[in-house]
Amino acid sequence: MNNKDGMQKRMLLMTLIVFVFFVAYEFLVLKPQQEAKQQEKIKQEQTVKNQAPVAMTTDAAPVANNTVTTQAPSVNLSPKSVVSTIKTQKSLYEIDNLGRIAQVTLLESKYTDKDSKQIKLFALDQLRPLEVRFSDASINEEAFKVNVIANASAIDATQTKQQLVLTQQLSNLLVTKTITFYPDSHYDVTVKTSTPQTFFMTTGFRPNVLVDMYADHGALLKLNDGSLTTFLDEKMDKTESVTGVKFASAFDRYYTTVLYNFDKSMSVTVMKDEKNDPQMFIHGNTDLTLSGYAGPKEHILLKSLNPELVDVIEYGFFTFIAKPMFIFLQFLQGYIGNWGWTIVALTILIKLILFPLSYKGMVSMQKLKDLAPKIKDIQAKYKDDKQKQSTHMMELYKKNGANPMGGCLPLILQIPVFFSIYRVLLNSIELKGAPWILWIHDLAMMDPYYVLPLLMGASMFLQQKLTPNTLQDEMQKKIFQFLPVIFTFFFLWFPAGLTLYWVVNNIFTIGQQVYINSIFDKQKAIKK
């Protein structure tokens, strides 16, 4: 077999194997593990220890660590523990007796769970946003025993910003926490102590929305130099302190609780809990002012708060492609008005843009298909002399203008585009509750009747029949013939929006292949 011909087959096979592994691992391993672990976290009684992080001086050098091992009280959302509720246009905030955000309920109709109840961001017992811890062990211990006093038990911030003042009188210290809530659900928070004290305020543990547990989750920091640092759940092995931080986000697939300050950078300590999940604490000294938000990672909202906050939405390795692609998708949706048809339009536009690459690949594969009988004859004739075999095959390719790598390389070049679209459609909260047509009422959820996955499998089978097969090895041929079945199985659980993209992509590719095949048929007829 010619070395380049063999290389083409190996690269094509490797590409498909990598894709199959990526999809299988994402949806058959990660997703079940994530859901099982989250269920376990809810069922088990967890203990959260109020250990203060290592205090840092201005030059980031650690000083004495005053640790506290007092067990935190569990979060009980009874009327006695909730001292104030704040309603915005999008959310309902509940503040507990320790001045923490005990719960955030999303009020928009599209944010419902599988039981048709409004989504709540936090589990019953987890680290809560705006919890304050002190370096001084005795103060810290007392702070978890003394209730705060709120200036209002119910606040309506649906029309204008409203202020909540929480005071906590300790033995020798007065702690004042002032939170200003805005109609769009973001807030400003200031914590002051009556005497100089080193303290820490947390973003809380990430939102815990089980119905949307598809992708990575953990903690994300953006630094002054624009770089992003991610700490994934169950991967923390030590405490880390980071300076020059612009925002600290605890996130899951669709939701975040984030604290930020773009005027004055923050120092953040990231600690592991008993599950090796990250917990972030922002350093304060007597007076700390930050802004915050807890809710869905909506691009328009985050950008309106600060353009840099859109980095809370993270698309993985191909973010540099995915980010502008989402902006373009959103631009199209502004004119089309339906996210489903927007996906269709985006798919067609991408196929048109990539058509020159696809055309070259299809033409090359068609030429190789026509040369297949001659290639087989050369391989049989010179089976004992690889050098002559290679020489004659190269002459055959050169004579007929065929490139053994021409069919594989265009496919490889398109892979980053596909994975970028994959991450965009998987991570875009904008698809949550967005209908397409008929039975598709939520593009972020799987097709309830499996129509799109079956159409994807059928279109992939037809595409395979129309595409020239240059593989000579019978085992490889059988593997490729079975791929539509494998992909159909994977796509049964894919979000409908992503499956829709793949179906339209296949249909458009079929049209391109029919067009290429017709050109070759005409050329053959002319030659005859």
Side-chain angles (χ1 to χ4, degrees), residues 316-523:
F317 185 76
F318 293 111
T319 295
F320 67 98
I321 300 176
K323 190 177 291 186
M325 189 172 293
F326 172 79
I327 293 173
F328 183 62
L329 183 72
Q330 198 169 52
F331 170 78
L332 289 177
Q333 198 275 337
Y335 286 94
I336 297 173
N338 179 291
W339 280 104
W341 291 117
T342 300
I343 292 172
V344 173
L346 177 70
T347 308
I348 293 174
L349 286 172
I350 289 174
K351 291 297 292 184
L352 289 173
I353 293 171
L354 295 178
F355 180 71
L357 277 177
S358 301
Y359 179 82
K360 288 182 179 180
M362 291 175 175
V363 169
S364 181
M365 293 180 72
Q366 186 70 50
K367 289 181 178 179
L368 291 174
K369 178 187 176 183
D370 293 342
L371 294 176
K374 295 181 180 179
I375 293 173
K376 199 169 184 178
D377 290 342
I378 292 174
Q379 290 173 343
K381 185 175 181 180
Y382 300 103
K383 62 181 180 180
D384 297 326
D385 192 336
K386 297 298 181 182
Q387 186 174 357
K388 284 188 177 182
Q389 182 186 108
S390 177
T391 301
H392 281 74
M393 289 183 70
M394 288 301 296
E395 290 176 355
L396 181 65
Y397 291 144
K398 186 176 181 179
K399 181 180 178 181
N400 291 273
N403 183 356
M405 296 296 295
C408 188
L409 188 58
L411 175 63
I412 293 175
L413 293 176
Q414 294 178 59
I415 287 178
V417 176
F418 166 74
F419 282 131
S420 298
I421 295 175
Y422 169 83
R423 296 304 300 186
V424 165
L425 297 180
L426 192 67
N427 288 11
S428 297
I429 185 65
E430 286 76 7
L431 299 185
K432 178 71 176 171
W436 179 40
I437 57 172
L438 301 176
W439 72 101
I440 302 297
H441 303 297
D442 189 343
L443 288 165
M445 303 298 288
M446 57 181 279
D447 184 337
Y449 303 111
Y450 307 110
V451 176
L452 287 176
L454 292 176
L455 284 175
M456 190 282 307
S459 61
M460 189 174 183
F461 176 79
L462 179 58
Q463 177 185 342
Q464 195 178 73
K465 290 297 181 183
L466 292 171
T467 303
N469 189 343
T470 60
L471 297 175
Q472 303 296 323
D473 185 82
E474 291 301 321
M475 180 59 68
Q476 291 182 2
K477 285 183 179 180
K478 290 179 181 179
I479 292 174
F480 274 67
Q481 289 171 357
F482 197 63
L483 282 178
V485 178
I486 298 174
F487 274 59
T488 300
F489 177 76
F490 290 150
F491 274 75
L492 291 176
W493 294 277
F494 267 42
L498 185 60
T499 311
L500 174 61
Y501 158 75
W502 200 253
V503 170
V504 176
N505 182 78
N506 283 355
I507 293 173
F508 207 81
T509 302
I510 288 170
Q512 290 178 337
Q513 190 64 61
V514 170
Y515 171 70
I516 298 298
N517 291 351
S518 66
I519 292 177
F520 269 84
D521 290 340
K522 288 179 182 179
Q523 290 177 348

Side-chain angles (χ1 to χ4, degrees), residues 203 219-231 242-251 256-268 270 280 282 302-303 306-314 319 323:
T203 60
L220 176 68
L221 301 177
K222 181 171 185 178
L223 308 184
N224 287 336
D225 61 4
S227 62
L228 299 173
T229 301
T230 304
F231 303 91
V242 185
T243 58
V245 177
K246 291 186 174 183
F247 72 64
S249 166
F251 68 95
T256 183
T257 169
V258 58
L259 291 174
Y260 56 94
N261 190 329
F262 294 103
D263 297 323
K264 183 180 179 181
S265 60
M266 306 178 294
S267 295
V268 180
V270 186
M280 295 182 291
I282 298 166
L302 292 172
K303 185 177 180 180
N306 189 291
E308 291 196 64
L309 275 180
V310 298
D311 287 333
V312 167
I313 309 170
E314 213 269 330
T319 295
K323 190 177 291 186

Side-chain angles (χ1 to χ4, degrees), residues 65-112:
N65 182 15
N66 298 313
T67 60
V68 181
T69 57
T70 305
Q71 183 172 318
S74 61
V75 178
N76 177 13
L77 295 185
S78 66
K80 291 182 180 180
S81 66
V82 175
V83 299
S84 186
T85 58
I86 302 90
K87 185 177 182 181
T88 69
Q89 291 180 358
K90 298 175 179 289
S91 307
L92 181 69
Y93 282 86
E94 297 176 72
I95 307 299
D96 71 7
N97 57 318
L98 295 179
R100 307 173 296 189
I101 298 177
Q103 190 58 274
V104 177
T105 304
L106 305 183
L107 300 180
E108 293 180 90
S109 58
K110 68 177 182 177
Y111 294 120
T112 56

Side-chain angles (χ1 to χ4, degrees), residues 136-374:
D136 188 297
S138 60
I139 294 177
N140 193 66
E141 183 175 1
E142 185 182 7
F144 276 88
K145 296 177 181 179
V146 177
N147 291 341
V148 301
I149 298 175
N151 68 327
S153 60
I155 293 177
D156 185 353
T158 56
Q159 301 301 321
T160 59
K161 66 180 182 179
Q162 299 292 331
Q163 192 174 84
L164 173 68
V165 180
L166 305 169
T167 55
Q168 187 180 40
Q169 182 63 66
L170 306 181
S171 299
N172 299 302
L173 183 71
L174 176 65
V175 183
T176 304
K177 183 184 293 181
T178 304
I179 313 174
T180 303
F181 291 91
Y182 294 81
D184 60 7
S185 288
H186 89 280
Y187 58 85
D188 299 327
V189 57
T190 298
V191 178
K192 294 183 178 181
T193 57
S194 57
T195 61
Q197 297 292 334
T198 299
F199 61 86
F200 311 87
M201 187 163 62
T202 179
T203 60
F205 187 62
R206 60 163 176 77
N208 192 15
V209 185
L210 290 180
V211 71
D212 289 322
M213 294 304 298
Y214 282 86
D216 290 339
H217 40 40
L220 176 68
L221 301 177
K222 181 171 185 178
L223 308 184
N224 287 336
D225 61 4
S227 62
L228 299 173
T229 301
T230 304
F231 303 91
L232 297 180
D233 281 2
E234 303 178 357
K235 300 293 179 64
M236 287 293 297
D237 56 359
K238 62 180 180 179
T239 296
E240 295 192 29
S241 293
V242 185
T243 58
V245 177
K246 291 186 174 183
F247 72 64
S249 166
F251 68 95
D252 71 357
R253 178 193 175 197
Y254 277 156
Y255 308 97
T256 183
T257 169
V258 58
L259 291 174
Y260 56 94
N261 190 329
F262 294 103
D263 297 323
K264 183 180 179 181
S265 60
M266 306 178 294
S267 295
V268 180
T269 293
V270 186
M271 301 169 58
K272 66 175 183 177
D273 63 9
E274 69 279 1
K275 300 287 186 180
N276 293 327
D277 296 335
Q279 297 181 337
M280 295 182 291
F281 291 87
I282 298 166
H283 296 232
N285 191 355
T286 306
D287 189 340
L288 176 65
T289 298
L290 302 171
S291 294
Y293 168 75
K297 294 186 283 186
E298 296 177 355
H299 188 277
I300 291 178
L301 174 59
L302 292 172
K303 185 177 180 180
S304 70
L305 299 180
N306 189 291
E308 291 196 64
L309 275 180
V310 298
D311 287 333
V312 167
I313 309 170
E314 213 269 330
Y315 298 109
F317 185 76
F318 293 111
T319 295
F320 67 98
I321 300 176
K323 190 177 291 186
M325 189 172 293
F326 172 79
I327 293 173
F328 183 62
L329 183 72
Q330 198 169 52
F331 170 78
L332 289 177
Q333 198 275 337
Y335 286 94
I336 297 173
N338 179 291
W339 280 104
W341 291 117
T342 300
I343 292 172
V344 173
L346 177 70
T347 308
I348 293 174
L349 286 172
I350 289 174
K351 291 297 292 184
L352 289 173
I353 293 171
L354 295 178
F355 180 71
L357 277 177
S358 301
Y359 179 82
K360 288 182 179 180
M362 291 175 175
V363 169
S364 181
M365 293 180 72
Q366 186 70 50
K367 289 181 178 179
L368 291 174
K369 178 187 176 183
D370 293 342
L371 294 176
K374 295 181 180 179

